[in-house]
Structures are given as structure tokens and as C-alpha cells.
Amino acid sequence: MNASPEHQRILLDIADLDRRIAQAERARTKPTQASRISELVAIRQEQLRELTALTGTRDDVRTELTRIESDVALVEQRRARDAQRLAAAVNPKEAQALEHEIASLARRQSDLEDAQLDVMGRVEDADAAVAAQQALLDTTTAEGTALTAQAKADVAAATDLGAQLARDREAVAATVPEPLLAEYTRRASNSAGAALLTRGTCEGCRIVLPGTDLNEIRRAAEDAVVSCPECGCILVRTEESGL
């Protein structure tokens, strides 16, 4: 195939646009934040499970405290009632029985109050554990929210950039003969499509061509479309090609 050197050089602009379009598409479909966001989703799920477990434990301890507080209140009521009955008692045996019951209730109240203090300490510890876990969850959520917002902004920017680059490519491609553009498109599916030959090196695959290949390229007509023997892209020759 033959094409003017000017048209061949335009292929470099198209190749550059294609490269940038591909970059924009990767940025649109795979934002840099995606990996961390996925990690945070898994971390948040685990933290939420832990928070649920800690909250359940705290609620159980609070329920236990409520029960003990109720028992303490009942004992206090019975002691007050028995004290009133003792004050009004005239029968020695009845008074003795009331005194015994009041003493028993006092010991029961003391035991309950000791248990109440212990459970109150457990409630305090459980509240602290829930608060600490909630703080971790809030931190993870905040980071995820910020990254998601940034990812959405980056995707929107990449989408706009990709659309602009596609319009630019369409305009540039319109200046290239259809056969040459078709040949470039065919090769671009497996290589850079088109690349400079710089000092004997293909800029598409970064391989230095052997002397025999360079001699063959050197003998080719100026408007001949030559290929890199390694990657197959169209080699665009300039005064820097080293021929």
C-alpha cells in the first residue's frame, strides 16, 4: 500500500488520540478508587456485624441491670412494709419474725446492690465498646462516601473527555484516505496501529530493528507504507528515523 508521507504522519495523531481514548475509557469504567471502595465495603460489612454483636451484648446487660434494679426496688418496698408492721406489732413472736425477715431482706438487698454495681460497670464497658465500634464504622463510611463521590466525579470527567477525544478523532480521521485508515484500524487491533521509527527503534514496541530490516525499509519508496517486523504497526518515517 502507498500513501503520502503527510497522511502517514496523521496516523500518529490518530494513534495518540486512540491511546488517550483508551485511557479515558479505562478511567470511566475502572476508576482508581474502585479497589479501595470494594475493600471498604467488605470492611464496613465486618464492622457492622461486630457492631450488631456488641449492641446485642450491651442490650442484654442493660436488660439484666433493669431486672436487678426492679428486684432492689421490690426488696426496699418489702423492708419498708415490714418496718411499718414491726413498729405496730404487739405480739413478740410476730415482731421476732419480722425482725428476722427484715435482716434477711437487708442481706438480699446488699447482694443485689453489689450485683447492680457489677452490672453497671459491665454496661459502661459495653457502651464504650459500642461507641468505639460505631466510631470505626463512621470513619469507614466517611472514607467510602468521599471516595465514591470522587469516583463519580472522575467517571463524569473521563466520560466527557472520551466524548471530546472521539470527536477530535473523527475530525482528524476524516483527513486520511479511507484505505489507509482501514489499514491502520486493522493493525491497531493487535498493535499501536502506527508509530514513529526513531533512530532505528519502533516506538510502538520499543524494539531496535535489525540492520537487514532497516535496509529494506531504507530502500522502500517514500510513499510506501512500511511495517514493523516485530509488532506489525505502520512505521512512520521522519528525518529522525536513522535511515
Side-chain angles (χ1 to χ4, degrees), residues 155-168:
V155 167
T159 300
D160 291 342
L161 177 60
Q164 180 59 57
L165 291 171
R167 290 191 293 269
D168 292 345

Side-chain angles (χ1 to χ4, degrees), residues 4 19 22 36 47 94 142 145 161 198-199 229:
S4 70
R19 178 185 58 80
R36 179 56 179 168
Q47 289 176 341
E94 180 184 2
T145 299
L161 177 60
T198 305
R199 292 183 292 279

Side-chain angles (χ1 to χ4, degrees), residues 4-24:
S4 70
E6 292 76 13
H7 286 150
Q8 291 188 47
R9 290 191 182 96
I10 294 175
L11 292 181
L12 297 176
D13 296 331
I14 296 176
D16 180 62
L17 285 167
D18 284 343
R19 178 185 58 80
R20 294 167 61 192
I21 288 171
Q23 289 177 340

